[in-house]
Amino acid sequence: MKKEFLDAKENALKSLHDACGHGKVDEGVLPILDLINKIEGFYTSSSCAGRIVLLQIPQIGDKRSARFLGIWHRTIEVDELRAASTKATTGLLWLLAQAPILHIGAETLQLADKMVKTAISCGFKNSAVKSLSKTIIIEICSTERLDAPIGRDACLFCDEKHLSLLVEISNEIIERSQEKIGRLTKKLTNFRDFP
Amino acid sequence: MKKEFLDAKENALKSLHDACGHGKVDEGVLPILDLINKIEGFYTSSSCAGRIVLLQIPQIGDKRSARFLGIWHRTIEVDELRAASTKATTGLLWLLAQAPILHIGAETLQLADKMVKTAISCGFKNSAVKSLSKTIIIEICSTERLDAPIGRDACLFCDEKHLSLLVEISNEIIERSQEKIGRLTKKLTNFRDFP
């Protein structure tokens, strides 16, 4: 088990290093990933710092054909959303504001349980163990989100007032996400010291 | 462990029976709960069949003060949503369409893992083990959802076309949820027979 875990960790760290080299890792999430990877018994897998997304989907549920018209790992202005929407063609337009998602491999169930409880105590209430077989994988995630259909076939269905509200709430989700990442980072610096 | 699990199961079944007596269980989800409770090594805890909700929230994230203006465990018409919105007073108006959530206690990690994998194979891709300590609790859940701010302070910010789109997509989520519940029900009838 120990050897298997260490091999998995080595591969994960290599992938993370490569992804960083190609600019494929959200900078906002890198410090906490580094911190987790320094704790014995854990390694990080695919992770996202939280983001606002403008998505075009041909049909409901047809995520494979989804097209990203805009992705922002930060707060945005209404004009940026409007500008991104001019790239729309055919299909549904969704505005999404997504909290961070961290995937973490754990060496033992006990460590996995402790990490999930720590994350929940920092506001990541949707954290759970995603996989138990062979490798143990935890997902750290919170509940705030916005998933709003805002138009169809290149047409925005929202007036200025509504767009402002949607952007205001999306930005609030990003800000809260960053606060929670900060809280978890602080708590993880002495993860090994508390029971 | 065996005794502890059986006590927990007995309590859960009693709670479910009482909740049914008070009309507090979604009827759409009752057959699958009964089915799961008949499988050795599992019992169901709080569960929801999937629903469309009109919610009023005084401040972003302040869910404790949220007020339900409408709850439907079925597809709806635009007029029903509009009628429910007339009860709004102060705060943000959110329209939510939520997939089913089933909480299940499992006797062993092996059974928990098998149930999570079965649920994922039926389309409940967000299923995971929520708690590992003392009792093992699984959450079965899928990814489709709509969480859209649609107005503020008793004012709907959506025109007729936008409201129709929101209701159309919400209804689609409810219909897909019911299909998935059907698929999982079918698969669980011979849960003990497959590896």
Side-chain angles (χ1 to χ4, degrees):
Chain A
M1 182 60 186
K2 184 81 179 171
K3 163 106 177 62
E4 216 168 288
F5 174 81
L6 290 175
D7 287 348
K9 178 160 184 167
E10 199 186 316
N11 284 333
L13 291 183
K14 203 183 161 301
S15 300
L16 180 61
H17 183 81
D18 292 351
C20 285
H22 292 91
K24 280 183 179 164
V25 180
D26 310 342
E27 279 183 29
V29 88
L30 207 46
I32 196 166
L33 299 188
D34 281 340
L35 182 61
I36 293 166
N37 284 319
K38 276 184 191 131
I39 306 175
E40 208 185 310
F42 294 106
Y43 63 85
T44 62
S45 174
S46 60
S47 299
C48 173
R51 58 189 190 178
I52 299 172
V53 173
L54 180 65
L55 204 63
Q56 176 174 281
I57 307 177
Q59 299 275 347
I60 300 175
D62 183 8
K63 284 195 184 151
R64 255 167 286 183
S65 317
R67 216 181 113 211
F68 288 87
L69 304 181
I71 306 183
W72 302 270
H73 291 98
R74 54 169 174 79
T75 57
I76 63 168
E77 306 282 335
V78 172
D79 286 347
E80 293 177 278
L81 180 60
R82 202 184 283 288
S85 75
T86 60
K87 290 181 271 177
T89 52
T90 315
L92 289 170
L93 284 172
W94 284 74
L95 178 66
L96 315 177
Q98 301 173 316
I101 296 186
L102 309 181
H103 289 107
I104 303 175
E107 191 176 359
T108 66
L109 284 175
Q110 229 174 343
L111 282 173
D113 195 43
K114 186 175 165 186
M115 182 61 87
V116 167
K117 289 208 171 78
T118 306
I120 289 174
S121 78
C122 294
F124 292 98
K125 303 222 187 286
N126 233 352
S127 303
V129 179
K130 293 299 274 189
S131 170
L132 281 168
S133 46
K134 242 181 163 184
T135 47
I136 303 165
I137 301 288
I138 307 160
E139 183 176 277
I140 290 183
C141 190
S142 67
T143 50
E144 296 101 351
R145 54 190 293 164
L146 179 149
D147 302 68
I150 60 169
R152 176 145 53 184
D153 297 340
C155 252
L156 280 183
F157 287 7
C158 304
D159 62 14
E160 196 60 30
K161 199 168 61 169
H162 197 184
L163 270 189
S164 294
L165 176 67
L166 290 165
V167 167
E168 180 190 333
I169 294 174
S170 298
N171 286 342
E172 179 96 18
I173 290 169
I174 295 298
E175 280 162 6
R176 276 167 182 261
S177 295
Q178 287 164 352
E179 280 167 32
K180 286 182 185 182
I181 288 282
R183 237 177 288 160
L184 183 59
T185 302
K186 210 171 156 191
K187 207 142 189 188
L188 288 181
T189 51
N190 56 353
F191 181 81
R192 278 288 182 184
D193 300 338
F194 60 89
Chain B
M1 181 62 186
K2 184 81 180 172
K3 163 105 176 62
E4 217 168 287
F5 175 81
L6 289 176
D7 286 348
K9 179 160 183 167
E10 199 186 315
N11 284 334
L13 290 183
K14 202 183 161 303
S15 300
L16 180 61
H17 183 81
D18 291 350
C20 285
H22 292 91
K24 280 183 179 165
V25 181
D26 310 342
E27 279 183 29
V29 88
L30 208 45
I32 197 166
L33 299 189
D34 281 340
L35 182 60
I36 293 166
N37 284 318
K38 276 185 192 131
I39 305 176
E40 209 186 310
F42 293 107
Y43 63 86
T44 62
S45 173
S46 61
S47 298
C48 173
R51 59 189 190 177
I52 299 172
V53 173
L54 180 64
L55 204 63
Q56 178 174 281
I57 306 178
Q59 300 274 348
I60 300 176
D62 183 9
K63 284 196 185 151
R64 254 167 287 182
S65 318
R67 217 181 113 209
F68 288 88
L69 304 181
I71 305 182
W72 302 270
H73 292 97
R74 53 168 174 81
T75 57
I76 64 169
E77 306 282 336
V78 173
D79 287 346
E80 293 176 278
L81 180 59
R82 202 184 283 288
S85 75
T86 60
K87 289 182 272 177
T89 52
T90 315
L92 290 170
L93 284 172
W94 284 75
L95 178 67
L96 315 178
Q98 302 173 315
I101 296 186
L102 309 182
H103 289 107
I104 303 175
E107 189 176 2
T108 66
L109 284 175
Q110 227 174 345
L111 282 173
D113 196 43
K114 185 175 164 186
M115 181 61 87
V116 166
K117 289 209 173 77
T118 306
I120 289 173
S121 78
C122 294
F124 292 98
K125 302 222 187 288
N126 233 353
S127 303
V129 179
K130 294 299 273 190
S131 170
L132 281 169
S133 46
K134 242 182 165 185
T135 46
I136 303 164
I137 301 288
I138 307 160
E139 184 175 277
I140 290 182
C141 190
S142 67
T143 51
E144 296 101 350
R145 55 190 294 165
L146 179 149
D147 301 68
I150 59 170
R152 177 146 51 184
D153 298 340
C155 251
L156 280 182
F157 287 6
C158 304
D159 63 13
E160 196 60 29
K161 200 168 59 168
H162 198 183
L163 269 190
S164 293
L165 177 67
L166 291 165
V167 166
E168 180 190 332
I169 294 175
S170 298
N171 286 341
E172 179 96 17
I173 290 170
I174 294 300
E175 280 162 8
R176 277 167 181 261
S177 295
Q178 286 163 353
E179 280 166 32
K180 286 182 185 183
I181 287 283
R183 237 177 289 159
L184 184 59
T185 302
K186 210 172 155 190
K187 207 143 187 187
L188 288 180
T189 51
N190 56 352
F191 181 82
R192 277 289 180 183
D193 300 337
F194 60 89

